[in-house]
Amino acid sequence: MQIETPYLMFLGDVPDTLAAKTAYGIKDWRPEWCVGQMRLPGCAADLGIPDLTLAQAVEKGCRTMVIGVANAGGVLPDHWVSEIVAALEAGLDIASGLHARLGAVPAIAAAAEANERQLHDVRHTSETFATGKGTKRPGKRLLSVGTDCSVGKKYTVLALERGMRDRGLDADFRATGQTGVFISGRGVAIDAVVADFISGAVEWIAPAAAPDHWDLLEGQGSLFHPSFAGVSLGLLHGAQADAFIVCHEPSRTAMRGVQHPLPTIREVIDLTVQLGRLTNPDIRPVGIAVNTKSLEEGAARTLLADLAREHGLPATDPVRFGVGEIVDRLIAEFPAGAAA
């Protein structure tokens, strides 16, 4: 699909910033595409860009209204429908990363047809996938995994792509979620793939490549999360990961949306290695990425130093402090030209 830019970011009336993580991800990594935001009363998220009416957005050249929300179940609230219809009537296309299909809502489908506008359901693909085979393929692959969902797995590999390229390494971000697809222009929302084909879809996202090429795969969910562990496991097996980074948010005690306690970083490392060996016996951790936004800089640096000592791995906040030490570790662990 070809989604026309620039964007008007629609946040609806989401209750917190995490519920608008799609919008935040696009704004952080493609700020030049985000002209303004549209919010309903009660919205608790703010991208820090101008609030625009539909008329103002069209006047400023917006081509697509992006529903920048990632809510539980990927549902489209009924009271948003009239706003989407109004945007179509104003001349904007609509792009959504929700599970709910835009065209399945009669009023939206009718408005799109009447106004000759495009509906883009980024979470749904027309691609047909095979089942995963787990057969060794050339190239190198890194996967971000998490102690929970929404802990920075996407931001980690996007920062790593930038850092590795700055060091002359051949590396590409591979999107496995709707926000990543908006950012990169390609990929598959893995959580919308039929379960039998998840690992095969990941093999399609990161196919055979040159021996020194790195595919950096955006992780999803957590192997410990009762809602999303199935997606996380299929992604791990399809990635056939040579390396992985554990992503963590230190202020949480329970996993998001459920009452289960957060696993430790050691538990995530051990289980990822145990399960990942099915498709790559040499899988290994190469770093820890911590979202330290809730901590003062001194406390953040102390926590990272403690984690690095405890686990014998570089630990950083990729956005706040960069990924240089993790790139160093990758270069040392996987020297260019070495046999796979």
Side-chain angles (χ1 to χ4, degrees):
M1 63 183 69
Q2 182 64 43
I3 302 174
E4 297 292 334
T5 60
Y7 298 150
L8 171 66
M9 307 303 298
F10 180 79
L11 306 184
D13 50 359
V14 295
D16 55 35
T17 57
L18 272 180
K21 69 176 185 177
T22 294
Y24 279 94
I26 300 169
K27 189 268 296 185
D28 287 346
W29 295 95
R30 294 291 184 265
E32 69 278 10
W33 293 352
C34 301
V35 171
Q37 63 185 4
M38 182 175 175
R39 300 183 291 166
L40 301 181
C43 181
D46 185 351
L47 301 178
I49 58 179
D51 286 290
L52 301 178
T53 65
L54 289 173
Q56 290 169 335
V58 171
E59 183 180 351
K60 289 181 175 293
C62 288
R63 303 292 299 277
T64 303
M65 186 169 83
V66 174
I67 300 175
V69 175
N71 57 29
V75 298
L76 179 64
D78 291 340
H79 64 285
W80 291 3
V81 172
S82 61
E83 306 293 338
I84 294 169
V85 168
L88 291 165
E89 292 174 343
L92 297 177
D93 294 340
I94 307 295
S96 169
L98 298 172
H99 281 294
R101 293 180 184 267
L102 293 166
V105 180
I108 294 175
E113 182 177 3
N115 294 280
E116 299 182 339
R117 306 318 309 165
Q118 297 296 312
L119 301 177
H120 300 289
D121 290 302
V122 175
R123 210 162 197 151
H124 300 277
T125 178
S126 59
E127 195 72 33
T128 300
F129 304 110
T131 55
K133 301 299 185 288
T135 304
K136 180 65 176 174
R137 59 195 192 273
K140 296 183 176 72
R141 288 160 200 90
L142 178 144
L143 176 68
S144 55
V145 302
T147 55
D148 195 4
C149 54
S150 302
V151 290
K153 295 182 287 291
K154 173 175 61 270
Y155 276 53
T156 294
V157 286
L158 281 164
L160 192 61
E161 177 191 54
R162 183 178 293 169
M164 291 175 73
R165 288 180 173 181
D166 287 347
R167 299 280 289 275
L169 299 175
D170 182 13
D172 287 315
F173 167 71
R174 300 301 186 193
T176 64
Q178 71 276 12
T179 309
V181 175
F182 276 122
I183 292 168
S184 70
R186 75 179 298 273
V188 176
I190 289 298
D191 62 2
V193 174
V194 173
D196 278 358
F197 304 102
I198 289 175
S199 60
V202 179
E203 291 179 358
W204 177 87
I205 292 169
D212 290 327
H213 174 80
W214 280 96
D215 277 334
L216 310 175
L217 288 121
E218 170 193 12
Q220 297 293 332
S222 171
L223 290 172
F224 288 84
H225 200 295
S227 304
F228 311 120
V231 174
S232 306
L233 182 59
L235 211 168
L236 174 63
H237 288 157
Q240 201 176 87
D242 299 280
F244 66 92
I245 297 173
V246 179
C247 302
H248 178 62
E249 208 280 64
S251 69
R252 299 185 195 179
T253 56
M255 306 191 82
R256 184 165 168 80
V258 296
Q259 297 180 0
H260 291 63
L262 213 66
T264 66
I265 290 173
R266 172 52 58 190
E267 287 173 329
V268 173
I269 290 172
D270 290 346
L271 187 60
T272 301
V273 170
Q274 178 185 352
L275 298 176
R277 281 176 174 164
L278 177 67
T279 55
N280 190 339
D282 295 322
I283 185 173
R284 69 194 78 167
V286 293
I288 299 167
V290 183
N291 180 347
T292 64
K293 186 177 180 179
S294 63
L295 302 176
E296 296 293 337
E297 181 170 340
R301 291 191 182 277
T302 297
L303 173 63
L304 294 171
D306 290 344
L307 290 173
R309 283 192 297 271
E310 179 181 354
H311 299 285
L313 295 167
T316 187
D317 181 324
V319 174
R320 197 174 188 178
F321 303 128
V323 293
E325 291 184 358
I326 295 179
V327 176
D328 289 341
R329 182 65 171 250
L330 282 170
I331 292 172
E333 293 269 342
F334 302 92

